[in-house]
Every structure is written in C-alpha cells, then in structure tokens.
Amino acid sequence: MSATTLTLQQFSTVYNMLSFAVASMLGAFAFFVMGRKIVGPKYRLALVVSSLVVLIAGYHYWRIMGSWTAAYALKDGMYVPTGEPFNDAYRYVDWLLTVPLLLTELVLVMKLKKESGSVLAKLILAAIAMIALGYPGEISNPESQAGARLMWGVLSTVPFLYILYVLWVRLGDAIGEHPAKVQVLLKNTRYLILLTWGFYPIVYAMGSYGWLGGAGSVVAVQVGYSIADVTAKALYGVMIFAIAYAKSEADGSLPA
Ligand code: RET
C-alpha cells in the first residue's frame, strides 16, 4: 500500500494494536502448550496445531511491527514515510501458513468421518486461492489502481464463499452427532468463524482510499486485520480447546 503522512495518534494506534497482537499471540501460545496436557490424548494434536498457529503469527506480528516503525519517521510532529515500503507480504504469508492450519485444527477436534481428509484438502486449496488472489489487490496502489483492488477482491471472494459454505454445512451436519454441551460450543464456533472470517474482506474494502481517505484507510486496515487475526487465531484456539475439553469430559478421556 502506498504510504501517506500520519498524525502521532494514527501512527501509535497502529503501533499499539500490533503490539497487542504480538502479546495476544504469545500469551495464547503459552496457554495452548500448557492446555494440551489437560485434554484427552485424542484431542492433543488439535492443541499442538493451535500453538503452531499463534507462534507463527507472533513471529509475523513482530516483523510487521519492525516494518511499521521502519516505514515512518517523526518529522515536525507528523509521521512521514521514510521511503522504505511497509511490507504487506508478512500478513499474506502468515495467512498462507495459518489458514490451512486453522482448518486442520477444526477437522482434528471434530474427529469427523473418513471423507474429512478430502474435504480438508479442498478447503485448503480454496484458502490458498483466496489468499493468492487477494494479495495483488492488497499491494495495488489504492488511489491509481482502485479498479485492480476491486477486481482481485471479487476474484478472491469466490473461493472465500465456497469455504464458508462448506464449513457451515459440514459443521451443521456434525453438530447433531455430539453431546448437548459440545453442541453449544460447536454452534458458537460456527458463528465465530462466520463473523471473524467475514471481517477480512470488509477490512480489505476499507483499504480503498475512496472509503476512508489515505491515512484513515492505512490505519483501518492495520487495526482491522490485527483484531481479525487475534480473534480468528487466539480466540478461536480457545474455542477449540473448550471443545476438546468438553469432548474429553464426555468420552471419559480427561487425564486424572
Ligand atoms: C482477502 C481479499 C479480499 C477478499 C477476501 C479476502 C479474505 C480473506 C480471509 C482471510 C482469513 C484469514 C484468517 C487468518 C487467520 O489466521 C484476502 C482479504 C474474501 C477470509 C482466518
């Protein structure tokens, strides 16, 4: 994204959100590593995958913070672009690694029937297409290439809708097979996925200058993606933990 001058407050809002994201990912990492031991053995791999997701994201947020501070310098009370571009690729590489892992977590904790392997493969392919198609739009110039941003955004939405549809229907089918307590958690997870994943394309749209103007969109995109990532990775991981715990309790596999 092209750089614009930011006020002190705009610069530090993003800086503090990125810092919050680093802290959340690291805290979540510790929680999932320790939490792994208090669920039944069958569900531990799901927790291991959760901890990988937040570890990868914690690293990326750390690098994003570095890139953010390198991209702006304080001059006469304003943050002006230094000429070093802010690197959007960290986010997209992060998604490329973590979205397949998030989908895997879900399949692992659900312990779905045999054909779940091929469903997972299709979901992962669709996720890669979604992210790869969104990237050229994200790095296009939001002023002079607004059309490109829109076109890549629309293309990326096609696999995105496929993913949401498959997850919604699959999870819906599986809910009935679970004990009542687990059913509530699964229903909530279904909404959490819909809400958090649905937030990403909205944030992407805020990145077009037509909506919020230059500095406004730069800030909205960074703050928006950070909130979305903390929710879709850390909070979602806590939901996966809760499902694993409730299922272990129901099938009597909770460790003594
Ligand atoms: C893009 C481009 C615009 C259109 C759409 C997008 C969707 C992105 C999504 C990302 C999800 C990321 C997650 C990360 C957590 O680790 C690429 C912004 C539809 C849904 C869940």
Side-chain angles (χ1 to χ4, degrees), residues 9 14-15 17 55 100 104-105 108 111 126 134 150-151 168 182-183 187 201 209 214 227-228 234 236 238 242 251:
Q9 203 179 12
V14 172
Y15 184 90
M17 273 314 293
L55 182 65
T104 308
E105 258 174 64
L108 282 173
K111 295 268 162 217
L150 181 66
M151 181 195 78
W168 192 261
V182 182
Q183 283 191 14
K187 281 183 193 152
Y209 281 12
I227 294 173
Y236 171 86
V238 173
D251 66 21

Side-chain angles (χ1 to χ4, degrees), residues 162-209:
Y162 168 80
I163 297 172
L164 283 192
Y165 171 77
V166 173
L167 282 180
W168 192 261
V169 172
R170 279 265 146 181
L171 278 173
D173 289 346
I175 287 174
E177 299 166 15
H178 287 83
K181 202 169 159 193
V182 182
Q183 283 191 14
V184 179
L185 290 169
L186 290 178
K187 281 183 193 152
N188 291 341
T189 306
R190 208 154 76 127
Y191 284 116
L192 183 72
I193 293 177
L194 196 66
L195 283 176
T196 56
W197 290 46
F199 194 48
Y200 289 86
I202 299 174
V203 175
Y204 176 92
M206 289 198 258
S208 96
Y209 281 12

Side-chain angles (χ1 to χ4, degrees), residues 25 53 57 91-92 94-100 102 127 129-135 137-138 149-150 152-161 163-164 193 196-205 225 228-234:
M25 300 301 178
V53 167
R91 270 190 201 289
Y92 277 72
D94 180 77
W95 296 346
L96 223 37
L97 294 169
T98 56
V99 174
L102 291 171
M130 170 185 86
I131 296 159
L133 290 169
Y135 185 62
E138 192 78 72
R149 196 175 176 88
L150 181 66
W152 291 112
V154 170
L155 288 176
S156 165
T157 303
V158 177
F160 171 65
L161 292 177
I163 297 172
L164 283 192
I193 293 177
T196 56
W197 290 46
F199 194 48
Y200 289 86
I202 299 174
V203 175
Y204 176 92
Y225 282 150
D229 272 348
V230 169
T231 331
K233 296 171 161 101

